[in-house]
Each structure stands twice: as C-alpha cells, then as structure tokens.
Amino acid sequence: MTNAELELTTSAATPSASTTMKALVYHGPGKCAWEDKPRPAIQDPGDAIVRITTSTICGTDLHILKGDLPAVTDGRILGHEGIGVVEHVGTGVSEFHVGDKVIISCVTACLKCDFCKRGMYSHCRHGGWILGCTIDGTQAECVRIPQADGSLHHFPADGDEEALVMLCDILPTGYECGVLNGQVKPGDAVAIVGAGPVGLAVLLTAQFYSPAAIFMIDLDDKRLAVAKKFGATTLINSTDGHAAHHLMELTEGAGVDVAIEAVGVPATFDICQAVVAAGGRIANVGVHGKPVELHMEKLWDRNISLTTRLVDTVTTPMLLKVVRSGKLQPSKLVTHRFAMNDIMKAYDTFGNAAKEGALKVILANGGLR
Ligand SMILES: NC(=O)c1ccc[n+]([C@@H]2O[C@H](COP(=O)([O-])OP(=O)(O)OC[C@H]3O[C@@H](n4cnc5c(N)ncnc54)[C@H](O)[C@@H]3O)[C@@H](O)[C@H]2O)c1
Ligand SMILES: [Zn+2]
Ligand SMILES: [Zn+2]
C-alpha cells in the first residue's frame, strides 16, 4: 500500500479490525448460507470499501437462486443494492472520502469507456452489472465497489435509507427499462405485467407522464391491492390464465399502447404480445432464464416495437431529486425489516412473498426501526 493510500484509509469511519465478516454466500441453485468470508480490501486504485448499513433483496436474487443466471458461481456473495459508509478508498478515487455515506448503484460504471460515454453503463467494459453477480455483493457487512467514482452516489443529509435504497436498482430499472423504453406518453393505455417491487416501480414512475389507464396484472391479490393504492386504474389477476383475454375485453379489443413485462417468465411475455395495440411497444424488464416464443405470425403487421434493457442507472441522479422532493415515495414499498444477521429469514419471507405479503424487505446492519 502506498503512503497516500495509508493516509486515505486512516479512518473517520472506524473500520473494523477483524479480517472476516458475515455474508450471504451462494452455493449453486437453491443453496445459500450466511457465513464467514474475508473482509474485502482495496484491489485497484478506483476501488472503495463500503460498510453496508442497509441492503435489500431483489427478484433477480431469486432468479440467481433458481439457477437462472449461470454467470453467478458457487462462493459468490449476493446482493446488488445497498447504502453504506465509505471505510477505505483507493488512490484513484476523487469524489468520495472515508466517512462519506453513499448509495451503491447496482451497476458499476467507469464513465470512460465507449459504452459509458453512450450512457450505457450496464455494458461498461470495466463494470456493468457485476455486483453480486460476477464479483461479491452487498448482502454482507462490507463490500468492495470498483470504479467507485462512477458507481456511488452521495447520500443526501436529509435522506432516508429505506427510501433511497430503492434507487440502487428498482427505481432506475422500472423507469429506464419499462417507462423510458416503453415510451409512455400522456393519454397512453399501459399494461404492467408483474406487481413485484420492479413492476410497482414502473407503476410509480410511469405516472410522471400521465398515462390515461394503467392495467396491473399479477397472480397475487395483495400486490394488486398495493398497485391500486399506487395509482393503477384496473387490476387483473392472471391466475385463471386468461389475463390477456380480460384486458382485451376491457379495452374493447384495442389492447394497450405500452405492455411492460416485469416478471421474467414465458407466460408473462406471452401476455404482453397478446395485448399490445397496433403501433404499440413491448418493453421487457424481467430477467429470463428460459426461451420465450416470439409470435411473429401475429405481430409482423402490427407496427410494434420490442425492447430489452439491463438497467443503466443513468437516471439515478434525476430520480434522487424526485424522491427528495417528496413526489415519489419509494419507502412505501417496504413491508418487512430484518437485521442483516437474519437474512435467511428475510429470503424466506421474500421468496414466499404472496403468503407473507412481502414487497421490499429491508436488511439492516445495526439498529432496526
Ligand atoms: N432488466 C433489469 O435490469 C432488471 C433489474 C432488476 C430486476 N429485474 C427483473 O425484474 C423482474 C421483477 O423483479 P421483482 O423484484 O419485482 O420480482 P418479484 O419476484 O418480487 O415479482 C415478480 C411478480 O411477478 C408475479 N408473477 C409471477 N408469475 C406471474 C404470471 N404468470 N402472471 C402474472 N404475474 C406473475 C409474481 O406474483 C410477483 O408479484 C425480475 O425478473 C427481476 O429479475 C430486471
Ligand atoms: Zn436487482
Ligand atoms: Zn465504462
């Protein structure tokens, strides 16, 4: 370590002297455990080590546990959402200092490569979505954040951790992959398939544009009831397998201008294909582990467009302003709180969301509310 590094790591945040920490470790499909791992250390000049204060679980973590993402291998610490305090910084980090409270973006961005310069941080040549995927993640006491200048945001003094942890992933995901790619416009009819946290983030941010109708489709009446409170105009429970038919009846055969897929299974992609109106857009948000059928025999003459996107998190600074203004209140998504040590229980609750009435589960290192 250089002298400069030593100086930078002298702590305002009293880093732990321990060389190990607890973390949620993936051990192949269906298996994970809360166990000891080495505390992360600076590896590159652009790194920061962040002590996690708040984290949460994403639907994508459930996909990983199902084995849908083979890039995630045995031994990986999961988690790509978190708020924390910077404990160490490498010599190349200029915007963050020891003791700063930060919002960790789920996407790592160098801000310098060709993809970053196009605003496509998700495909950054030195990052992208690696956290809790190909490098160790945030469901731990501490995490190493590469490219810290591009991957962290300052946590505002008036911020609420439970609200702002939604900026790590679900709010930019819903907004970028769903609302922006779906080009939601005033007066549009929009269908959102999936009323999980991501679908609800689509619902909240779609309303920036005053769509005339928002159909929310899910299997879970509790989640649909939340969607109603958050501004959905019509709820459709798709348990009977006829959601598309019901929606087409309700729209007198017209369908919707924008169909947003926020689940990641073939059945929900099929609903989107069946309900998109002529001239409409299908925006896929869900992470898919299996092939879907593309019904070109029905869509070839419908003038539709289909988009896919891995969240870029380029809109996070804008969304932070909207949350701070009070116009967007993502803490409404929090249904359960657990100490980080109880993360296995938290996974149980989030994995049985319908039974438990769970949306976002907060994982707190330290005190619980
Ligand atoms: N593109 C990206 O960058 C990105 C980023 C984050 C999350 N995601 C993905 O977004 C998706 C949603 O995430 P989440 O956290 O809200 O997940 P989640 O698992 O909490 O929610 C999924 C919802 O889909 C519903 N559902 C399941 N099968 C259905 C069916 N046949 N018909 C209607 N509804 C059905 C469930 O009841 C649940 O409410 C996941 O696939 C996740 O991996 C994508
Ligand atoms: Zn996620
Ligand atoms: Zn880059």
Side-chain angles (χ1 to χ4, degrees):
M1 213 184 250
T2 64
N3 280 345
E5 253 172 334
L6 275 176
E7 226 169 78
L8 281 168
T9 59
T10 348
S11 155
T14 47
S16 161
S18 167
T19 55
T20 61
M21 65 170 186
K22 290 281 186 197
L24 197 270
V25 183
Y26 174 70
H27 289 299
K31 285 180 257 160
C32 64
W34 181 243
E35 60 190 41
D36 287 326
K37 286 285 264 187
R39 280 182 95 81
I42 300 281
Q43 293 177 15
D44 290 307
D47 290 354
I49 304 298
V50 178
R51 177 171 52 80
I52 299 291
T53 51
T54 297
S55 185
T56 177
I57 307 174
C58 178
T60 305
D61 297 321
L62 299 182
H63 280 292
I64 293 172
L65 278 172
K66 257 169 62 182
D68 282 349
L69 285 139
V72 186
T73 51
D74 189 0
R76 178 67 58 235
I77 299 175
L78 298 186
H80 48 267
E81 297 159 281
I83 307 285
V85 178
V86 174
E87 278 201 342
H88 305 278
V89 286
T91 48
V93 178
S94 58
E95 302 306 311
F96 296 91
H97 302 97
V98 170
D100 285 355
K101 194 162 180 180
V102 291
I103 301 167
I104 299 168
S105 175
C106 62
V107 162
T108 301
C110 76
L111 306 181
K112 291 178 184 153
C113 74
D114 52 343
F115 280 119
C116 283
K117 285 185 173 164
R118 284 159 59 191
M120 235 170 105
Y121 299 170
S122 57
H123 290 265
C124 170
R125 296 202 186 265
H126 310 287
W129 177 44
I130 54 176
L131 203 57
C133 178
T134 56
I135 65 166
D136 286 337
T138 55
Q139 289 165 7
E141 287 174 37
C142 261
V143 63
R144 180 180 71 92
I145 302 296
Q147 315 292 346
D149 280 339
S151 315
L152 298 175
H153 301 271
H154 285 285
F155 187 96
D158 58 356
D160 169 18
E161 292 201 20
E162 293 191 357
L164 297 187
V165 77
M166 309 305 167
L167 285 172
C168 303
D169 178 351
I170 63 162
L171 281 175
T173 293
Y175 181 61
E176 294 173 8
C177 309
V179 177
L180 288 184
N181 273 22
Q183 299 175 34
V184 175
K185 294 187 184 62
D188 272 354
V190 178
I192 302 168
V193 189
V198 169
L200 292 170
V202 174
L203 171 64
L204 291 171
T205 55
Q207 292 170 75
F208 294 167
Y209 299 97
S210 303
I214 308 180
F215 297 86
M216 203 80 192
I217 302 172
D218 202 289
L219 305 168
D220 177 356
D221 280 331
K222 285 189 203 138
R223 286 186 163 190
L224 288 172
V226 174
K228 184 81 183 173
K229 275 199 226 139
F230 288 5
T233 53
T234 308
L235 308 178
I236 301 177
N237 187 312
S238 58
T239 309
D240 66 3
H242 300 302
H245 176 75
H246 297 313
L247 190 148
M248 293 311 280
E249 270 189 355
L250 288 164
T251 57
E252 292 164 355
V256 293
D257 303 295
V258 189
I260 298 172
E261 200 287 339
V263 185
V265 296
T268 47
F269 188 71
D270 284 346
I271 295 174
C272 292
Q273 297 187 79
V275 302
V276 66
R281 280 90 55 202
I282 298 176
N284 183 81
V285 187
V287 171
H288 290 262
K290 293 203 182 82
V292 298
E293 266 182 51
L294 183 60
H295 287 290
M296 288 308 286
E297 79 286 6
K298 291 191 182 132
L299 294 174
W300 72 269
D301 64 349
R302 300 284 286 165
N303 302 30
I304 65 135
S305 56
L306 164 65
T307 58
T308 70
R309 187 169 184 177
L310 177 56
V311 62
D312 290 296
T313 68
V314 279
T315 61
T316 304
M318 178 282 283
L319 292 166
L320 175 58
K321 285 192 209 164
V322 186
V323 174
R324 287 182 77 187
S325 76
K327 293 199 168 117
L328 193 58
Q329 293 175 340
S331 56
K332 293 192 293 194
L333 290 163
V334 176
T335 54
H336 293 73
R337 296 177 175 84
F338 295 89
M340 188 74 91
N341 270 319
D342 283 334
I343 192 166
M344 299 305 288
K345 270 195 225 156
Y347 262 91
D348 238 30
T349 301
F350 188 62
N352 291 296
K355 184 171 142 250
E356 303 286 349
L359 282 169
K360 271 314 231 191
V361 301
I362 291 291
L363 299 165
N365 261 326
L368 271 181
R369 271 190 195 176

